[in-house]
Amino acid sequence: MRLGELSERSGVSIATIKYYLRERLLPPGRRVTATQAEYDESHLRRLRLVRAMIQVGRVPVATAREVLGHVDDESLGLTMRLGAATWALPQPEDEVGDDAAAASARGTLDALLAELGWDTAREIGDLSPVHRGLVTAIATLNRLGFPLSLDELVPYARHMGEVAAHDLDLLETRPPGSEQVEAAVASAVLYDPLLLGLRRLAQEVESARRYGIT
Amino acid sequence: MRLGELSERSGVSIATIKYYLRERLLPPGRRVTATQAEYDESHLRRLRLVRAMIQVGRVPVATAREVLGHVDDESLGLTMRLGAATWALPQPEDEVGDDAAAASARGTLDALLAELGWDTAREIGDLSPVHRGLVTAIATLNRLGFPLSLDELVPYARHMGEVAAHDLDLLETRPPGSEQVEAAVASAVLYDPLLLGLRRLAQEVESARRYGIT
DNA sequence: ACTGTTGGATAGTTTCACTCTCCTGATGAG
DNA sequence: CTCATCAGGAGAGTGAAACTATCCAACAGT
């Protein structure tokens, strides 16, 4: 198919597709002549994934390019590709600072990982953006005057641990290959709003149950 | 305290504070003379909350203004204020369309709410932005070729239900009043990245556990 | 009186994600 | 063969969002 059809089938404007091609979010089509190229179903799938990452997942274009680079890196195993993609995903940009709040947050997180036996994560330490993002989040809550104790944090972590296990269960039902990696990215990016939405909904329901609708 | 001190204590530049004042994210100080005003601790707290919402929670300025308006609306009860704030919070903006994917997503969500007995949420139906956000997320996954069955969705919802219950337990430990409402906003906005970070971390750990580090 | 700040208003600046305009080179109907 | 049409590519332009910088008159501390 050509650019026009790709645009029509995906609902993305031609100008935007050209932009994504320029930004290398979408691999170039197979060149037919000097001024024409042919696209296939994989381009359509990739385009939809890009759109989902950017629009639903709020992932910046530059970051999306990086993540997709890891998705396409066939020299890595599943775990590493998943990890690489996760690694590149957007974190609540630092601005941590080394104040007391940050130090306390680091301590809390360390204790949490020890408590749960998540030693893999502890070894990686604060090199991981995920780890740093968590420190930032806890530190911010400290600064705001809503400190999180270990006891309050552990139940959250346990639930998210089970969610993660369920994530991987679902991933295993996919045929291995790039579809599995794409599913991993979709899971990382698109399940976020899903889970948060479910939490909000549950909060409303629970609040109504406890206090009535006043 | 005056602008300069507010800036120093919060770490936010004077120019930015002026911007927030202009945008009514921060109530004006108590006027001392025609060209000078006095700020207090509540301004500092509010400023930190605003920063957290915008920087960590990625909440747009206009939305933050709306949310804070509800926080300050003392004519409402706790549930309603929490609901109002939640209601105003940013959703993965629609662009739903009425295609088959959206219809199927609506059906799945309805079934889920019935299954869990979350009838309060079902009555509100698709008026709620949270509800619509969920439909968008599920529909997007459908379109990408990663359909979510009810069976796969239910465990997620149960876990988030427990998380929400824990959220409200924590909320009850706060002294009633505006601090409680602020805690509710902080919970809604700032726990998001915290939970997502925990999920990512748990995914890495679980993946390493299952498949090794390859 | 002098120096430096403060609050307020207005006008930049930066970043990001597109979107528009041009241009060259096919391509297909008549 | 011709001529309007469309494809692809490159560069400049646009609009929104969140700041940031510049002015200015009115104070405040010394």
Side-chain angles (χ1 to χ4, degrees):
Chain A
M1 90 189 80
R2 306 241 241 293
L3 240 199
E5 194 183 339
L6 190 60
S7 163
E8 227 171 294
R9 286 232 267 157
S10 63
V12 180
S13 81
I14 290 182
T16 301
I17 296 179
K18 286 180 173 182
Y19 169 64
Y20 289 159
L21 285 167
R22 233 177 304 149
E23 295 292 324
R24 303 201 317 281
L25 296 186
L26 210 55
R30 187 175 56 80
R31 299 301 296 269
V32 173
T33 75
T35 63
Q36 240 146 324
E38 179 81 10
Y39 305 92
D40 58 26
E41 293 299 322
S42 79
H43 288 91
L44 186 56
R45 255 211 344 245
R46 171 57 53 93
L47 180 54
R48 287 208 259 244
L49 182 60
V50 166
R51 276 261 108 179
M53 287 175 76
I54 290 176
Q55 288 210 317
V56 182
R58 307 259 226 74
V59 178
V61 165
T63 307
R65 176 170 49 234
E66 198 179 340
V67 172
L68 291 173
H70 295 305
V71 169
D72 293 334
D73 184 349
E74 312 209 351
S75 70
L76 300 173
L78 176 63
T79 306
M80 286 308 281
R81 282 207 263 182
L82 204 165
T86 300
W87 198 277
L89 278 175
Q91 296 315 127
E93 271 324 310
D94 305 297
E95 186 211 6
V96 180
D98 279 338
D99 57 351
S104 144
R106 245 182 285 271
T108 305
L109 186 52
D110 253 20
L112 175 70
L113 298 182
E115 170 85 20
L116 295 173
W118 289 5
D119 298 300
T120 328
R122 209 141 49 97
E123 285 158 22
I124 301 178
D126 48 24
L127 285 177
S128 159
V130 177
H131 190 283
R132 278 188 292 114
L134 280 173
V135 171
T136 305
I138 299 175
T140 304
L141 284 165
N142 282 341
R143 276 190 212 105
L144 270 172
F146 306 115
L148 259 183
S149 73
L150 185 58
D151 289 342
E152 292 163 347
L153 202 46
V154 166
Y156 284 128
R158 286 202 200 284
H159 284 297
M160 297 326 278
E162 304 221 18
V163 165
H166 189 46
D167 286 336
L168 292 186
D169 288 345
L170 285 188
L171 207 57
E172 286 178 357
T173 69
R174 305 267 161 212
S178 45
E179 193 189 332
Q180 204 170 26
V181 186
E182 283 183 5
V185 173
S187 155
V189 173
L190 297 177
Y191 283 33
D192 282 3
L194 183 66
L195 289 170
L196 299 182
L198 287 173
R199 181 166 84 109
R200 298 258 160 84
L201 211 55
Q203 284 177 347
E204 284 181 17
V205 171
E206 185 69 19
S207 177
R209 185 172 293 156
R210 291 189 189 189
Y211 315 115
I213 307 181
T214 49
Chain B
M1 90 189 79
R2 306 247 235 290
L3 238 200
E5 195 184 340
L6 189 61
S7 163
E8 228 170 293
R9 286 232 268 155
S10 63
V12 179
S13 82
I14 290 183
T16 302
I17 296 179
K18 285 181 175 182
Y19 168 63
Y20 290 160
L21 285 166
R22 233 176 303 143
E23 295 293 324
R24 304 200 318 281
L25 295 187
L26 212 54
R30 188 175 54 82
R31 299 299 298 268
V32 173
T33 74
T35 63
Q36 241 146 324
E38 179 82 8
Y39 305 91
D40 59 25
E41 294 299 322
S42 78
H43 288 92
L44 187 55
R45 259 215 336 251
R46 172 57 54 94
L47 180 54
R48 287 209 258 245
L49 182 61
V50 166
R51 275 261 109 176
M53 287 176 76
I54 290 177
Q55 289 210 316
V56 183
R58 306 260 222 73
V59 178
V61 165
T63 307
R65 176 169 49 232
E66 198 179 339
V67 172
L68 292 172
H70 294 306
V71 169
D72 293 333
D73 184 349
E74 312 208 350
S75 69
L76 299 173
L78 176 62
T79 307
M80 287 308 280
R81 281 207 265 183
L82 203 165
T86 301
W87 198 276
L89 279 174
Q91 295 316 127
E93 270 324 310
D94 306 297
E95 187 211 4
V96 181
D98 280 338
D99 56 351
S104 144
R106 244 182 284 272
T108 306
L109 186 53
D110 253 22
L112 176 70
L113 299 182
E115 171 85 20
L116 295 173
W118 290 5
D119 299 300
T120 328
R122 209 141 49 96
E123 284 157 23
I124 301 177
D126 49 25
L127 284 177
S128 160
V130 177
H131 190 284
R132 278 188 294 115
L134 281 173
V135 171
T136 304
I138 300 174
T140 304
L141 284 166
N142 282 342
R143 276 188 212 106
L144 269 173
F146 307 115
L148 260 182
S149 73
L150 184 58
D151 289 342
E152 293 163 347
L153 201 46
V154 166
Y156 284 127
R158 286 200 201 286
H159 283 299
M160 297 326 279
E162 304 219 19
V163 165
H166 189 46
D167 286 336
L168 291 185
D169 288 345
L170 285 187
L171 207 57
E172 285 178 358
T173 69
R174 307 266 161 213
S178 44
E179 193 188 328
Q180 204 170 28
V181 186
E182 283 184 5
V185 173
S187 155
V189 173
L190 297 177
Y191 283 33
D192 282 3
L194 183 67
L195 290 170
L196 298 183
L198 288 173
R199 181 167 83 109
R200 298 256 160 85
L201 211 55
Q203 284 178 346
E204 284 181 17
V205 171
E206 184 70 18
S207 176
R209 185 172 294 155
R210 290 190 191 191
Y211 314 115
I213 306 180
T214 50

